[in-house]
Amino acid sequence: MILTEDQLQDLLDKSLAELPRGSEWAATLEGSIAEGFGNSSSDIDFLLVARSEDDLPTMPSLLFVDGRRVEIRTRSVRQLAGQLRAVEEGAARPGRLSEDILNRCQRLLHSHPLRGHALIDEVKGLLPVERFRGITADWWAHRARQSLRHAMALLCLGESEEAVDWTRAGLVETVKSWAARLGETYLEPKWLSMQLDRAGRGDVRDRYWQLEAAAAPAPGDPDAAHTHLTAALAFAADLGLTGVPRQPERITVRRVHGVTTWQTGDRVHVLRGRREVFALGDAAGAVWRSLVLGRPLPQVLATAAGSGVGDPGPLLATFLRYGLIRLAWKGGGTIAPSLPLAAPPGPVTPPPSTARPLLSLRGGAVGGPRAVDLMPLPADRFAAAAMALVWSNVVVENAVEDLTGALQRGQWRVAELTARRAVHAALRGLFSAHGVNPLPADADLVRRLDLLPSSDGGPIGARAGELLRRAVDTPDQGDTLLTDLRSFIALVRGAVGADSFPLSFESADTWRATLELGYDWLRIGAHLDAELPIEEARDLLACNGTQPHQAAAR
């Protein structure tokens, strides 16, 4: 070690002097210095062990002693025994074995006792070192298989640069597995060079560093990436890693639990975990619709290419990163490459879409044909806002029809109130298109337009305020009101992508088109238990988008 026994004992004495008195501790040095690594900047890591029945703090105390940074952790024998037992019990399923617990046990088992040697030896004896070597080697081997299979899949999808990064990760994990069986179980990879030197196999060490040096091919050079993966797989096989033949046809595309699809018009939406909505651009939607789950990845890629979308591989890779599909190895379960200890589990979640308005009658707004955009609303609120958008436009159509009839009969007060109803309904549609849900009260709609981008809320707000104050006393004023109201409705609908909304009450065909449009959104809203805009919507759902009495007649 880089410090002598006397230096370590002196540092321990000075460190204990800064701690509260009252406990009898056994003490051991763990970490890189205990392993024979370290340098002048390395921490001094002391583990203090007591027979206490209480759980001792997990967080270390950080001290500065004689110019060195000292970390002191405390554990009871019961806590340490529980960690060692967890490693033994997790050995059968290395993919679920906690990296943190494995690391803590490794540091203990390879620590250098300073005081209370008998107690430290007693705890270490709960998990023999030889057994721990095998568990650690299997843990690294599992990670290596996942990384190399993932690299193989990415190469198949045309993501060569990312594939190289995962091949490099697989190389580190492969050689760490090999070294662990020789006793080099320290988990942190930064000391890998010293571990390989100590392993005494210069041929393995040199071959690894040659492959590491080759892990930076020129960007956009898929041939080099393929060559590098082939060499890495051969090296892994020579070191005893099994389960990674160069056979991409063994990779299959599988469904992810909790991922569902719904379509409104041409827009494809993908729901993740009943919580998040992804809106797909036209090209992304075509690739998504081409998926036949359960088939080998090369076959899925070929089918996607036949959808008319050029270079579909990166889109499939995006679906994979976002957890919308998963990959499995035939006979080997889901391909799930390991994440760093500090990274939260789960798929990548991109920043929410910044498109405004957020949605239209067609569906979620997207940034382009290849977009896979996360909607910045929980799924149930997104569906509720979309249903409110559809219903607001139905109310607008109904109000315009009522206004026309009132003007023809000279019912001026009726006309005024009906025009206000149309304005309020149009504003509710505007708010809904921006994802506002629940909506403000009608009396507050104009004043709450400051919630929306000024490009939408400003001009529309001014015209809405004027229409809401409009009085009607003559046929000419009525004609002007109807003209101005239609112009206002067109302005709002143009802003929210509803300019093609059917003239709901013009004919049986336009009413049928309205029902079909509403039904598209009601299905997903009901699936998510979102708030329905009116109670009658449940009847539309029950009748599969048709009028209930017509459905009964059939």
Side-chain angles (χ1 to χ4, degrees):
M1 292 186 291
I2 63 174
L3 296 175
T4 67
E5 186 77 16
D6 289 343
Q7 288 174 315
L8 290 171
Q9 293 289 353
D10 182 58
L11 285 168
L12 179 59
D13 286 337
K14 293 175 178 177
S15 298
L16 291 174
E18 297 193 30
L19 300 182
R21 297 188 180 279
S23 297
E24 290 294 326
W25 302 103
T28 188
L29 175 74
E30 60 179 15
S32 59
I33 293 180
E35 295 278 349
F37 308 136
N39 52 50
S40 60
S41 297
S42 296
D43 292 349
I44 310 298
D45 297 307
F46 291 133
L47 175 65
L48 307 183
V49 182
R51 289 197 181 276
S52 169
E53 290 300 314
D54 298 329
D55 282 347
L56 300 177
T58 299
M59 182 177 177
S61 293
L62 188 63
L63 308 175
F64 295 88
V65 180
D66 291 348
R68 302 298 296 252
R69 189 170 65 249
V70 177
E71 279 196 15
I72 294 184
R73 296 179 185 272
T74 56
R75 291 290 187 277
S76 68
V77 171
R78 186 174 61 80
Q79 284 176 298
L80 294 175
Q83 291 179 343
L84 293 165
R85 186 168 54 253
V87 167
E88 180 67 73
E89 292 173 351
R93 305 189 74 177
R96 297 191 176 184
L97 185 55
S98 164
E99 179 180 352
D100 181 58
I101 290 179
L102 189 67
N103 182 49
R104 289 293 151 211
C105 292
Q106 194 282 330
R107 292 165 69 90
L108 168 67
L109 294 174
H110 278 239
S111 67
H112 176 72
L114 295 171
R115 296 187 186 172
H117 291 60
L119 182 57
I120 299 299
D121 290 342
E122 175 189 329
V123 175
K124 287 185 177 184
L126 297 174
L127 182 59
V129 171
E130 287 298 327
R131 172 62 176 151
F132 184 78
R133 290 177 180 179
I135 293 172
T136 305
D138 290 345
W139 183 82
W140 279 116
H142 173 81
R143 294 169 71 97
R145 287 188 195 95
Q146 298 297 310
S147 294
L148 293 171
R149 290 170 180 174
H150 191 58
M152 199 181 306
L154 289 169
L155 269 181
C156 185
L157 296 174
E159 300 282 61
S160 58
E161 292 179 39
E162 189 175 348
V164 168
D165 291 336
W166 281 105
T167 302
R168 170 183 273 168
L171 275 170
V172 171
E173 292 155 349
T174 297
V175 80
K176 289 284 282 185
S177 174
W178 171 83
R181 295 194 188 279
L182 300 179
E184 295 291 343
T185 55
Y186 191 74
L187 261 65
E188 171 58 56
K190 69 180 179 182
W191 303 110
L192 178 59
S193 60
M194 297 180 71
Q195 289 181 298
L196 292 180
D197 288 343
R198 288 198 314 204
R201 285 286 302 274
D203 57 331
V204 173
R205 177 198 62 200
D206 294 345
R207 190 174 172 190
Y208 168 76
W209 290 117
Q210 288 170 0
L211 286 167
E212 168 64 23
D221 187 354
D223 291 339
H226 279 275
T227 300
H228 186 245
L229 177 60
T230 300
L233 293 175
F235 177 58
D238 290 345
L239 293 188
L241 184 71
T242 59
V244 201
R246 184 69 184 271
Q247 295 175 354
E249 64 274 10
R250 296 187 65 173
I251 302 172
T252 56
V253 180
R254 300 291 181 87
R255 178 182 180 272
V256 175
H257 178 72
V259 171
T260 55
T261 306
W262 90 89
Q263 189 164 337
T264 55
D266 295 329
R267 174 73 70 240
V268 174
H269 303 85
V270 181
L271 182 66
R272 189 175 75 177
R274 292 178 62 90
R275 295 176 56 195
E276 296 155 318
V277 178
F278 291 84
L280 276 52
D282 293 344
V287 171
W288 183 263
R289 286 192 298 266
S290 78
L291 293 177
V292 180
L293 301 179
R295 291 184 176 177
L297 179 61
Q299 185 177 347
V300 169
L301 182 62
T303 302
S307 69
V309 177
D311 196 18
L315 282 170
L316 289 170
T318 298
F319 298 156
L320 177 63
R321 290 186 200 103
Y322 291 177
L324 308 181
I325 57 173
R326 64 183 176 93
L327 300 180
W329 184 265
K330 188 176 182 180
T334 297
I335 298 174
S338 303
L339 298 171
L341 182 60
V348 172
T349 298
S353 168
T354 59
R356 296 295 182 273
L358 178 63
L359 58 92
S360 70
L361 295 175
R362 183 187 181 199
V366 296
R370 298 178 72 89
V372 184
D373 287 345
L374 174 65
M375 296 293 99
L377 278 178
D380 57 342
R381 284 181 56 202
F382 179 82
M387 290 188 293
L389 173 61
V390 174
W391 180 242
S392 70
N393 279 279
V394 174
V395 174
V396 165
E397 289 298 309
N398 180 252
V400 170
E401 183 185 48
D402 288 349
L403 173 61
T404 303
L407 292 176
Q408 289 173 350
R409 299 284 295 180
Q411 297 167 338
W412 310 126
R413 301 291 81 80
V414 173
E416 290 174 4
L417 292 174
T418 304
R420 291 174 198 169
R421 179 170 176 251
V423 170
H424 285 143
L427 292 178
R428 288 198 296 272
L430 177 66
F431 276 99
S432 298
H434 284 86
V436 177
N437 187 273
L439 289 163
D442 283 358
D444 270 348
L445 286 170
V446 172
R447 280 178 289 277
R448 296 287 80 80
L449 284 168
D450 58 0
L451 296 173
L452 308 184
S454 59
S455 58
D456 285 344
I460 289 174
R463 294 182 66 175
E466 192 275 328
L467 283 169
L468 290 171
R469 294 187 297 270
R470 185 80 65 89
V472 182
D473 292 305
T474 67
D476 288 344
Q477 289 177 341
D479 291 342
T480 301
L481 173 61
L482 183 59
T483 298
D484 290 348
L485 180 62
R486 290 189 183 280
S487 175
F488 172 75
I489 293 168
L491 176 65
V492 174
R493 285 181 169 174
V496 302
D499 39 8
S500 60
F501 193 83
L503 300 175
S504 304
F505 305 102
E506 185 178 67
S507 67
D509 288 340
T510 57
W511 180 238
R512 188 180 305 111
T514 302
L515 292 179
E516 291 172 355
L517 178 61
Y519 182 62
D520 282 344
W521 286 109
L522 284 170
R523 283 186 301 115
I524 187 60
H527 174 67
L528 294 168
D529 297 322
E531 188 72 26
L532 299 182
I534 55 171
E535 189 60 28
E536 287 87 339
R538 299 187 189 279
D539 296 331
L540 183 60
L541 281 169
C543 299
N544 298 320
T546 63
Q547 298 188 85
H549 302 299
Q550 286 183 346
R554 294 174 186 172

